[in-house]
Amino acid sequence: LSESVYFTVQSCSAVFQIWKTLLNIYEQNVASTKIYLIWRVYNLRMKESNSVQAHLNEYESLSSQISSPGTTIEDELRAMLLMSSLPPLWETFVTTVCNVLTTAMNYSKVTSAILTEVARRKFFAKASIDEAYVVQISADRLNNRGRSSSRPSTNQRSRSKS
């Protein structure tokens, strides 16, 4: 026992009294920890600069910490809290998922939908970069209009002497 705990239980004469005293001390800590963790989950917001996977990992870690002391969060509530933690850029996605999942939300379906959306966004971001590259090459070709770069410009042409 640590010194501070010893001073708390030294006046107890029976083991049962010691147990009750320790239980009162540490149960309060468990309750305050649960409240703090629930507050963190409720206020968790993904920053647009963070990766979605890191956000999902943080959310899952907090959820499992809440569940470990004996408190459970319903699956549907977990899904709703996760959806509400997404940034404003994801608003259309959240609305779509809410409209598609007409039955009760399922945490695993929501996480699956989020990961699918991340993959879709990465694919279209790459496709738009490739399209921009093609457009740039096309614009360069239009500006040159098929002229060779070795051909002299109009300012350097010589005039005929006739």
Side-chain angles (χ1 to χ4, degrees):
L1 290 177
S2 69
E3 205 172 299
S4 63
V5 174
Y6 175 74
F7 288 125
T8 306
V9 296
Q10 76 179 357
S11 62
C12 298
S13 59
V15 175
F16 182 73
Q17 285 179 324
I18 294 172
W19 179 251
K20 285 295 249 181
T21 305
L22 291 174
L23 200 57
N24 287 336
I25 293 170
Y26 291 107
E27 270 187 346
Q28 291 173 354
N29 290 342
V30 170
S32 63
T33 302
K34 284 182 193 178
I35 291 169
Y36 173 71
L37 290 172
I38 290 171
W39 178 83
R40 286 215 28 221
V41 166
Y42 182 73
N43 290 302
L44 181 66
R45 299 290 176 263
M46 182 180 133
K47 294 181 181 90
E48 294 194 22
S49 60
N50 289 1
S51 77
V52 174
Q53 190 61 51
H55 179 70
L56 289 174
N57 290 342
E58 181 180 8
Y59 182 84
E60 186 61 38
S61 172
L62 288 171
S63 295
S64 65
Q65 288 176 30
I66 291 170
S67 299
S68 63
T71 304
T72 58
I73 300 176
E74 290 183 30
D75 195 53
E76 185 177 17
L77 180 59
R78 283 179 70 203
M80 288 183 203
L81 287 171
L82 177 59
M83 296 284 279
S84 68
S85 71
L86 295 173
L89 184 64
W90 286 71
E91 184 178 354
T92 304
F93 169 79
V94 170
T95 304
T96 303
V97 169
C98 289
N99 290 333
V100 169
L101 295 176
T102 55
T103 60
M105 279 195 192
N106 180 320
Y107 180 74
S108 62
K109 286 181 183 176
V110 168
T111 54
S112 176
I114 289 171
L115 293 172
T116 302
E117 177 66 10
V118 168
R120 187 190 74 78
R121 287 182 181 195
K122 283 182 181 176
F123 173 77
F124 283 113
K126 182 179 179 337
S128 66
I129 289 171
D130 291 344
E131 286 175 18
Y133 182 68
V134 168
V135 168
Q136 180 63 40
I137 290 172
S138 299
D140 290 345
R141 286 183 182 163
L142 282 174
N143 289 338
N144 289 338
R145 295 184 192 162
R147 293 184 184 146
S148 160
S149 59
S150 63
R151 187 173 173 183
S153 67
T154 55
N155 296 343
Q156 297 175 351
R157 290 185 190 169
S158 62
R159 293 186 179 185
S160 67
K161 297 185 181 189
S162 54

